[in-house]
Amino acid sequence: MNKRFSCAVSPLFYFFFQKSRLYLFAVLLSLISVNSVANNYQCEEERFRQLGNLVNTIMYMWNRPSGLSDDEITKLILASDIQQDSSEIGKVIKTVLYHLDGSLSTSDSKIPLDLAEEASPADWAYLKNINVSRYVALKAVFIMYKTANAHSDTSERLQYSIPLLYSLKQEALKTADHHAVAIASIWLAMEYSEINQMKAVVEIEYALPFLKHIDIENGLETALNKRMAHSWLADAYTNLNDYSRAVIHQEFVIEDSKEHDIATSYVYIGVINSLSHLQRFDDALTMVDEAEQVSITNQSAPQTLFSLWLKVSVFLHRDEPNDREEIIALTKNLSHFEGITFPTNINLLPVLSALKTTYLALEGSDAEFKKAMSTLTSDFNSQAKHSSYSTSILLGKHAHLSKLYKLRGDFKNALLHQHKYDLIKSQPNGSYAHLDELNTESPLQRDITITKLQEMARLKDKQTLKLKAERFQALSFALVAVMSTFLLFWFWRRQRSRAQASEIDDLTGALYRRVMFKEIAKPMSSKLSSCLVLIDLDHFKKINDRYGHVVGDEVLTIFGQVVRQRIRKTDKFCRYGGEEFLLYLHDTTEKNANALLEDIKISLESHQNWKNTEASFNASFSAGVIQVKAERNISKIIKACDNLLYRAKSTGRGKIETMSFPAYLNENI
């Protein structure tokens, strides 16, 4: 029996063993093939990254005073072995470098590269499959430089570059790669900035959440990065006269530069200009001091000269008594700054020429001043001529010339340049008016259209499902998903309610002290004025003793309701002790705080009938108010409030004592 069974099994076992060997061999070959493909992909990705960085280096570092020389660029190109690279990546990179060379080269400097034929659409598609973000960045560079070479006039260039960049953005949208879409949008915004600032703002705001910080390892796709987007938004809002918003974005640029240890005095120009327009001259001079310290830290003579100009510009804006003497003292001797050059990739005004002309406006003869103004005007015109984005330079030119003529006392010419400035500002499109109608569909509308198309495709696919079992499975899955979502939402709401309950006093609806301190720590350190108020209910112990604790609790509840009905969402209300409360009023002066507290006090005192007692009485409170600005020591401020509260109570209760924090410190030295 066993023998027959053994004889019967052996052929079967041998058959399955042979089949298993075949299957194992097939799996092994598949694994080797997959591993080979993966390794090849990694090699292609790395090659694309390196050559992308080469394009980025040439674009931003070639023929720059602080960049790379022709010899250094030549060595990089030869080391990349790009001339002999006939792959899809090599053909695309050579095509882009060819157009870069056409815009950036001079008669004495050329890229050592020959282009037999331009890359085909299939070559570009290959790069798109490797890395979408880098592909979009490279394609945008290609579009910009190819159109710039073909059309020297800005108006003609924009007529071609904007539709091409717009199409690139639509292509990126279909990939669902947020960073790729953001890159296309920021390049499109750069072109829109010449014809319509609002469209530029829309594109930048659209891209900003998905832009990345600058990354040296991936230089091409992060060249237009989050810091640069904030900088461009600041410029756009400045051109739209919205200086308050401009300051917000300019402060981000400064803080981000500090964080990445690349701060220079140049990044301060925007915020100082905006603060001056807002007439916040003390804040502007504080920023000037910071810029001077940065230039000292960097040991940079150009940055030191630029910091000097920043200080002079604040005095020019303010034009108060003694400011002219300050300007003369700062600009009298500039000989040690002769020969200093600034980075050409930063659109700065002719600083040294401007400072010399400023001095001559106050101290020079008519002939000297006229000659200096002619030189300065020529310098501005030269900058505008060699810039692809000349509008901001021309605006700066007329604004500055107007100030200098006003400083000289020549109000006729000052008014003339102010009119020219206003004309450019009011008609920013100029000869590009017809371009403003290109691609008027909004980003939101386009996204809606794409979503509709995707929905139609999904419905079409669903209609092809014929088997009832598959339909039932889909419905079952949907039901489970809905139930899971409902349970998760219910659980989230329950957890959130518990968390909120642990942060808020049930009786008054006020925050607990630990939550309050966490909520107001950051707002109090901002540069906006705010008020901290310490409130104490008058004779509260007598209310508890005479009418009972239930009535006392009712008084606390009514007080909490009155306060919460009158404060804003940005204000914070805290139960500090038994009958003591802390109130934070955001962006509020002591005068406004006093008016609010008087209103609360009147409302509370008008409440005389209580649910838990037949007795009729009213409640009142005393308060100490401290106005603060950019303060971090909360405990010290609360102590000041407490002292003012004591003063209010000692003068008869039902009183409100207010004071600014600096005044309080002076009084209590």
Side-chain angles (χ1 to χ4, degrees), residues 124-138:
W124 282 101
Y126 183 80
L127 268 63
K128 182 179 176 181
N129 290 327
I130 297 176
N131 187 303
V132 177
S133 294
R134 194 175 300 130
Y135 159 80
V136 170
L138 190 65

Side-chain angles (χ1 to χ4, degrees), residues 173-241:
L173 273 167
K174 294 175 184 177
T175 68
D177 187 312
H178 293 89
H179 185 222
V181 178
I183 292 171
S185 287
I186 198 73
W187 278 97
L188 185 57
M190 186 161 60
E191 293 291 81
Y192 268 141
S193 65
E194 279 292 298
I195 60 171
N196 189 313
Q197 287 292 342
M198 282 308 302
K199 282 193 174 184
V201 167
V202 168
E203 291 294 341
I204 301 171
E205 294 280 16
Y206 185 97
L208 187 58
F210 304 106
L211 288 172
K212 297 182 179 180
H213 291 285
I214 191 167
D215 179 5
I216 303 300
E217 293 297 315
N218 299 283
L220 182 63
E221 55 268 40
T222 61
L224 302 188
N225 47 69
K226 197 175 287 288
R227 184 192 311 124
M228 186 171 288
H230 278 284
S231 179
W232 287 358
L233 274 176
D235 291 343
Y237 284 127
T238 298
N239 289 332
L240 294 168
N241 295 329

Side-chain angles (χ1 to χ4, degrees), residues 15 45 137 187 271 335 433 657:
F15 172 78
E45 160 70 20
W187 278 97
V271 72
S335 58
E657 290 286 337

Side-chain angles (χ1 to χ4, degrees), residues 604-615:
L604 180 64
E605 290 172 351
S606 67
H607 194 94
Q608 296 185 348
N609 299 317
W610 310 88
K611 294 179 181 179
N612 296 298
T613 179
E614 295 180 357

Side-chain angles (χ1 to χ4, degrees), residues 455-472:
E455 181 67 14
M456 289 172 62
R458 189 182 68 83
L459 290 173
K460 186 178 179 180
D461 290 339
K462 285 187 69 174
Q463 289 170 358
T464 61
L465 299 176
K466 297 179 180 180
L467 297 176
K468 291 182 179 181
E470 290 180 358
R471 290 178 181 175
F472 179 76

Side-chain angles (χ1 to χ4, degrees), residues 155-174:
S155 174
E156 291 180 5
R157 186 194 82 231
L158 294 174
Q159 195 168 359
Y160 290 92
S161 63
I162 288 178
L164 288 171
L165 288 170
Y166 185 83
S167 297
L168 180 64
K169 184 180 173 184
Q170 287 184 309
E171 184 183 352
L173 273 167
K174 294 175 184 177

